[in-house]
Amino acid sequence: MKKILAVIIFIVFTSCKNDKNLFKDPSASIDQRVESLLSQMTLEEKIGQMNQYNGFWNVTGPSPKNGEQADKYDHLKNGLVGSMLNVRGVKDVKAVQKIAVEETRLGIPLIIGFDVIHGYETLSPIPLAESASWDLEAIKKSAEMAAEEAAAAGINWTFAPMVDISRDARWGRVMEGAGEDPFLGSKIAMARVQGFQGEDLSDPRTIAACAKHFAGYGFSESGKDYNTVDVGTSTLYNIIFPPFEATIKADVKTFMNSFNELNGIPATGNAYLQREILKDKWNYKGFVVSDWGSIIEMKVHGFAKDLNQAAEIAVNAGSDMDMESYAYVKELASLVKDGKVSETLIDDAAKRILRVKFELGLFEDPYKYCDETREKEIIGSAKIHEASLDMAKKCIVLLKNENNTLPLKKEGQKIALIGALASDKNSPLGSWRIAAKDNSAVSVLEGMQQYTGNKLMYAKGADVSLGKTDFITEVYINNTDKSDFAEAISVAKKADVVVMVLGEVGYQSGEGRSSTNLDLPGVQEDLLKAIHKVNSNIVLVLNNGRPLTINWADNNIPAIVEAWQLGSQSGNAIAQVLYGDYNPSGKLPMSFPRNVGQIPIYYNYKNTGRPTLPEKDVVFWSHYQDEKNTPLYPFGHGLSYANFSYKDLLVQQENNTIKVSVNVSNTSKLKGKEVVQLYIQDLFASITRPVKELKGFNLIEIQPGETKKIEFTLTEKELGFYDNSGKFIVESGEFKIFVGGSSITTLDTSIDFKI
Ligand code: NOJ
């Protein structure tokens, strides 16, 4: 009897689990819910999930009648759209979601994407700046705040983090990444993903993240955006891939492929990247979205003959969602019917996308990100601004500080502030700031006025750019107009110290903003020289989205502060550092070249067969005849108002690890933070290894006179590398271990490591 009852319960239970409403049942597993939903979807509806559209204007009003916008609207109503991007604000998101949920046959909610790169309306520092903090907790927190603010505006998916490693400051998008190093880049990538996604993706304060751009986008030839990429396997496996793989460990929900071709195959149509590496080798379960129009751009690359073939190549190669190519929605159904694309691949892509929607909790409540009260409370709130200020201070890098020029004195020092960027409230927002209010950042002038009770003398000196700047238009630089120099000179003459804020306007770096010249743009260096003639006691504050070439400044200006584009609270953060209320601790995540001709320049280069000068004046070594090999400021460089010293470096092998310890002392009278950096060199290996590789870092705070013992453990993960077949190997042999406060380390020793 008992047995019969159990069988009946089992049958009732399974049939209930198989019923068509199973996908609505939160007690079923996500896989069961996905399967249940998929089994009810037509081919067209599955393809619809793979289609992403940019927002269209009047969805909340009368529907568009003609043209592309009308098609998009029709597609949305007919269940042929799975995602939209650039729809933001509760009212608009609700409107599109309502169509998807209430008007389509199955009511599948949309996933709403947006470029929440370093904030939504309240901006934190640009990602390159945040990376200069080397503070993983702070970076995670910053992503968490960005997610919370964006989520309050209806968004549930960000196209961030960009984890492309780049060694080329000509490429404008270095502002969006973590710099040149794969170890630091991987840690930061993970922190950002954890910050955006939190512990629980269904929490309405968290959003799905997207590791982009897979792969090689940061290695575009000559630093020109979207350009050809041709890199060898060693660079691919050891430099480009690691941050991407790290995001998978952090459970990143989505990937974006890239615009570039990689070794002859566009990334969007690259089965090696998306299927072999990402989905097979790394066993990635999330979905891949194309970059904007990158499917149809394969035609322009000369890789697909038309839209139909582009769709076929992209889907077969593993691109699951089409951003704005209209390729999948137009072509996939016929490709399946013609047998050119297997329906199993469509099922796989649709399942990947649906799974993320389930994880976000959108099937329980499609409007969970659409709460007007939260929107009012969270966006622009004090909490988000405080976090942005806290992050901004941590990003500032003190490049140079001779004669204790800094910190400034709050009393008894006549200060002149010079530079158009000093009063600029727009540039600190950078270029990824679509949802921010124009001119909403605190300027340096405003920030410093608080300390001086408005007694600051200010003169613009010269404009950096001409006319209005925006996300899509070329920036025009002022290369000639020096008419305001005179006023700045007379102000400088009256001052004890001159603070000059120079650099790039916000839109000079970012997508499509490559440069061949990295000097201070326009007439700014002439302004600096003109002021220097009348008052050489200058603090140069740089505002920029990429490393610049500032040799003259380095030779002539006593104090230089790298203040990047620091977001909404920029001026307050800069003022706190200049006046010494915050002791700077940032370290460069990218080398600063002396000369554009040195690019690509990076600390983890290879020795070559001829690394050193053989004999005075003999040319046969790897060098330039007109420039040094070294950067102006190396990777990892950054000073503090405190001083640190390193001693007692000890290394020893324990099982298959190397234990490292070092004593770091604060020899000054000020409390300070230091990023203790650990580098290795594998002296002989079956594949040549770089002269130095960062393999550990520790951000510590030390009291005046205090000494801290810092310990690291190098495991096989840090000691090994990928061979040219992509296999990770660890080899016995001699390793050099370096420790210090930059990649120009202070202490080193060697160890014979035996596996
Ligand atoms: C193109 C950019 O390359 C990508 O990073 C961004 O997320 C998309 N546009 C969407 O705006």
Side-chain angles (χ1 to χ4, degrees), residues 40-105:
Q40 298 169 60
M41 292 168 76
T42 63
L43 175 65
E44 284 70 18
E45 283 166 339
K46 292 180 214 170
I47 293 168
Q49 287 304 303
M50 301 163 69
N51 183 32
Q52 184 188 52
Y53 281 148
N54 191 40
F56 45 93
W57 52 278
N58 54 359
V59 68
T60 51
S63 57
K65 296 277 179 298
N66 310 306
E68 209 171 65
Q69 304 293 42
D71 284 349
K72 285 183 174 180
Y73 184 66
D74 271 356
H75 289 172
L76 182 59
K77 284 197 299 186
N78 293 321
L80 300 181
V81 182
S83 172
M84 298 200 73
L85 76 151
N86 293 334
V87 182
R88 62 185 162 92
V90 166
K91 186 166 156 256
D92 284 9
V93 172
K94 223 182 202 172
V96 286
Q97 197 66 295
K98 197 160 182 282
I99 299 172
V101 173
E102 292 180 15
E103 296 189 36
T104 69
R105 190 176 76 90

Side-chain angles (χ1 to χ4, degrees), residues 85 115 159 173 212-213 256 259 291-292 323 432 511:
L85 76 151
D115 288 288
F159 305 124
R173 287 196 90 167
K212 69 186 189 184
H213 306 83
M256 185 186 290
F259 287 126
D291 203 344
W292 183 294
M323 183 194 288
W432 277 121
E511 186 176 346

